[in-house]
Amino acid sequence: MLSRLRRSDRKSGAQRAPGQPNSLFGEILDWLLAPLLFLWPISIIVTHNVADNIANQPYDRALADSARALARLVAVEDGKVVVHFPAPPRALFRADQDDTVYYQVADQGGETITGDREIPWVAPPATVLGEEIRYRDEVIHGEEVRVAYQYLRAWPEPASPLILVQVAETRNKRSDLASRVVTGVLLPQFAIIPLAVVLVWVGLTRGIAPLNRLQSLIRRRRPTDLSPIVPASVPEEVRPLIIAFNDMMARLEENLQAQQRFIADAAHQMRTPLTGLRMQTELALHESDPEQLRSSLARIADSTERAGHLINQLLSLARAEASFEKLYAVEAVDVEAMVREVGQELFPRALAKGIDLGVESSGQGMIVEGNAVLLREMVKNLMDNAIKYTPRGGSVTARTRHAGAPIFEVEDTGEGIPEADRERVFERFYRVLGSGADGSGLGLPIVREIAELHRATVSLSPNPGGQGTVAQVVFPRSQMQIPPPVHGDFFPL
């Protein structure tokens, strides 16, 4: 049996859409290496900041010791602040060959008592804690310096004036130590990053090896081998793809089997009318009586019409069994308008047979989502079948209506179908020959095939008004749409 109708947003063809990756290997490699290369300069900046903090700690402690030592040399004598150096200050604070050291002792007003005036004075905080060392960065003579400073009381009273003690040092040793730390960290990275690229490449190559083996397995298959691939034999990430691939192969095998059935049915069914046509032609060639010859020609014409009708039905069946999702678009179809068009097309045939053909609609419109080509084939087969098996002088009415769901039905006043045969007439070629009504051929099987493609149901029931049959197609309720009202048409004879 055919697969269910799919929505039209399925994409056909293997053309790659813009923006899609061309290589899975390259895509993964890009997403692994691009962040690594992006994070590398960030790591350099972070490493440099960390190295600065590491370099500041020991030198800040040494600078703080110098500030405390200078503070111990400060004394107040006769109300004046004095500093007693046990050795020349240059020997105490300027003995470093890499950095320049500045010192200063200043009063609360910012006047330098002793030391270097280049160190900027800084206002004291609101609360001064005893022997608390503070740090700040300054610039002296165009060079960055690190300053350690402390506030002292001139005498123990809380209201006594403050004395500022400062020791400043240039940052040469600190910068040199930070540079050595950064160099020691970054140099191994120059070797690690290329090695990481190689390892990522090797890891990806080994990681996609199962895909290569799967590709080789599929390539080695024979063209007629549509058997499914065992999902357990592939990586877990690829299993949904393999399951979808197996589903596609199953649908392809189903389509191929449908084609084979079609060819077998066509070969078998065409043999009978063609054989009968040949026999009637041979009989006509041996006839000398004009009346008999006319009768033979009429039978030949009738047989030709039946053969043409059978061929059209076979072609319709082939179209219904094809993978129409690829060949025909799925769209919103106005079934009422389609029924009117088919009614106008079949009106001359009904008129020639003396059948009253009518088309009725609810006036509300009926839009269903499906394939216009196949839906038209379904409508035409139902109406054509009713006209074919309705005797002269009868009537055929095609109508669309809503009863909780979209419904299309064809009512005729023909001979009717016995209850035991109402299901069997949907079988292909059931009662084609050997009965008075001559069977339904392929008309009703085609109708059921197309209805099932659109998730609709088909049923046959006796005509409630008397003799005849009502063929009814009920579409899913979810497909019903109500367009602006459309008035029905009628084709009286």
Side-chain angles (χ1 to χ4, degrees):
M1 185 55 64
L2 296 170
S3 60
R4 293 289 187 181
L5 179 67
R6 310 293 182 187
R7 296 190 61 86
S8 60
D9 57 358
R10 286 184 177 271
K11 305 297 183 183
S12 62
Q15 185 178 3
R16 184 170 64 94
Q20 291 184 350
N22 189 33
S23 169
L24 182 61
F25 182 88
E27 187 76 5
I28 297 176
L29 193 64
D30 288 344
W31 279 102
L32 288 176
L33 296 183
L36 180 62
L37 297 178
F38 174 74
L39 292 174
W40 189 34
I42 297 179
S43 70
I44 294 176
I45 298 173
V46 173
T47 302
H48 194 277
N49 292 334
V50 172
D52 283 341
N53 293 331
I54 293 174
N56 278 332
Q57 291 177 5
Y59 290 111
D60 281 352
R61 286 195 296 268
L63 198 61
D65 291 340
S66 299
R68 291 189 184 98
L70 179 60
R72 285 193 291 268
L73 300 178
V74 176
V76 179
E77 296 179 356
D78 298 330
K80 295 182 178 181
V81 178
V82 295
V83 181
H84 298 288
F85 288 103
R90 293 182 181 275
L92 291 176
F93 299 108
R94 304 183 188 275
D96 197 302
Q97 61 180 358
D98 295 324
D99 286 302
T100 301
V101 179
Y102 303 90
Y103 75 97
Q104 182 190 85
V105 178
D107 60 18
Q108 188 168 351
E111 293 293 329
T112 301
I113 299 173
T114 184
D116 302 296
R117 297 179 180 273
E118 292 88 344
I119 304 178
W121 181 81
V122 62
T127 302
V128 177
L129 302 178
E131 298 186 356
E132 180 186 9
I133 301 295
R134 299 171 180 267
Y135 301 95
R136 73 180 191 274
D137 294 320
E138 296 286 355
V139 177
I140 301 177
H141 300 310
E143 288 187 288
E144 293 184 356
V145 296
R146 182 75 166 171
V147 181
Y149 60 100
Q150 180 184 9
Y151 292 95
L152 304 174
R153 293 285 181 183
W155 47 82
E157 286 77 3
S160 63
L162 293 174
I163 301 171
L164 175 62
V165 177
Q166 300 186 93
V167 178
E169 182 183 43
T170 55
R171 305 180 65 93
N172 295 332
K173 293 192 299 293
R174 300 166 186 261
S175 299
D176 183 62
L177 177 59
S179 298
R180 291 200 302 270
V181 172
V182 172
T183 303
V185 172
L186 294 183
L187 280 179
Q189 290 186 7
F190 282 102
I192 291 175
I193 289 180
L195 181 61
V197 172
V198 173
L199 292 177
V200 169
W201 184 282
V202 173
L204 283 177
T205 303
R206 293 181 62 85
I208 67 173
L211 296 181
N212 295 330
R213 290 195 295 270
L214 179 61
Q215 178 189 21
S216 177
L217 173 64
I218 295 176
R219 284 182 178 274
R220 289 197 305 267
R221 283 194 167 200
R222 298 177 61 86
T224 56
D225 186 4
L226 300 179
S227 59
I229 299 174
V230 181
S233 63
V234 299
E236 183 177 355
E237 292 76 10
V238 190
R239 287 177 187 173
L241 177 62
I242 295 302
I243 293 174
F245 178 79
N246 290 340
D247 184 50
M248 182 186 69
M249 289 295 101
R251 294 197 303 270
L252 177 59
E253 185 174 12
E254 186 175 337
N255 283 340
L256 292 177
Q257 291 176 355
Q259 292 178 7
Q260 293 173 357
R261 289 196 306 269
F262 167 74
I263 294 173
D265 290 342
H268 175 72
Q269 297 301 323
M270 287 303 299
R271 186 181 299 113
T272 300
L274 290 179
T275 301
L277 183 61
R278 185 183 63 184
M279 293 177 60
Q280 291 172 2
T281 304
E282 292 176 352
L283 291 175
L285 290 175
H286 292 85
E287 286 290 346
S288 57
D289 186 359
E291 291 298 328
Q292 292 295 331
L293 181 59
R294 181 182 297 273
S295 177
S296 296
L297 291 176
R299 287 194 297 270
I300 291 175
D302 185 56
S303 298
T304 304
E305 181 183 356
R306 290 187 180 184
H309 183 70
L310 180 59
I311 291 174
N312 289 332
Q313 287 186 325
L314 287 171
L315 293 176
S316 298
L317 182 62
R319 185 186 297 114
E321 290 189 331
S323 180
F324 70 95
E325 295 169 357
K326 182 177 180 181
L327 300 176
Y328 307 104
V330 176
E331 57 190 351
V333 181
D334 187 349
V335 178
E336 283 194 358
M338 181 177 291
V339 172
R340 290 196 302 271
E341 293 174 2
V342 174
Q344 291 175 350
E345 179 182 340
L346 297 179
F347 179 71
R349 184 181 170 195
L351 181 62
K353 196 174 179 180
I355 293 176
D356 186 10
L357 175 61
V359 175
E360 300 176 354
S361 63
S362 62
Q364 296 178 332
M366 190 173 79
I367 306 295
V368 299
E369 195 171 86
N371 178 260
V373 176
L374 296 181
L375 286 175
R376 181 182 176 85
E377 197 68 42
M378 180 188 72
V379 170
K380 185 176 180 180
N381 271 276
L382 274 180
M383 296 177 66
D384 177 79
N385 204 64
I387 293 173
K388 180 179 180 180
Y389 300 119
T390 298
R392 179 175 294 274
S395 65
V396 174
T397 303
R399 66 173 61 92
T400 54
R401 60 187 180 89
H402 298 283
I407 297 176
F408 166 63
E409 59 187 14
V410 178
E411 178 183 325
D412 64 61
T413 58
E415 299 180 1
I417 301 175
E419 184 178 357
D421 292 337
R422 286 175 195 159
E423 186 62 30
R424 297 198 62 188
V425 292
F426 289 105
E427 299 176 4
R428 297 179 184 180
F429 306 108
Y430 176 65
R431 293 173 58 200
V432 170
L433 296 176
S435 68
D438 203 24
S440 63
L442 286 172
L444 292 179
I446 292 172
V447 169
R448 171 164 284 184
E449 294 268 358
I450 297 175
E452 290 180 348
L453 285 173
H454 292 79
R455 301 188 297 275
T457 58
V458 184
S459 62
L460 299 175
S461 60
N463 190 336
Q467 189 177 7
T469 304
V470 177
Q472 188 178 83
V473 180
V474 181
F475 292 92
R477 180 181 178 86
S478 59
Q479 290 205 26
M480 182 170 59
Q481 301 181 30
I482 308 298
V486 179
H487 297 291
D489 296 326
F490 189 76
F491 306 103
L493 295 182

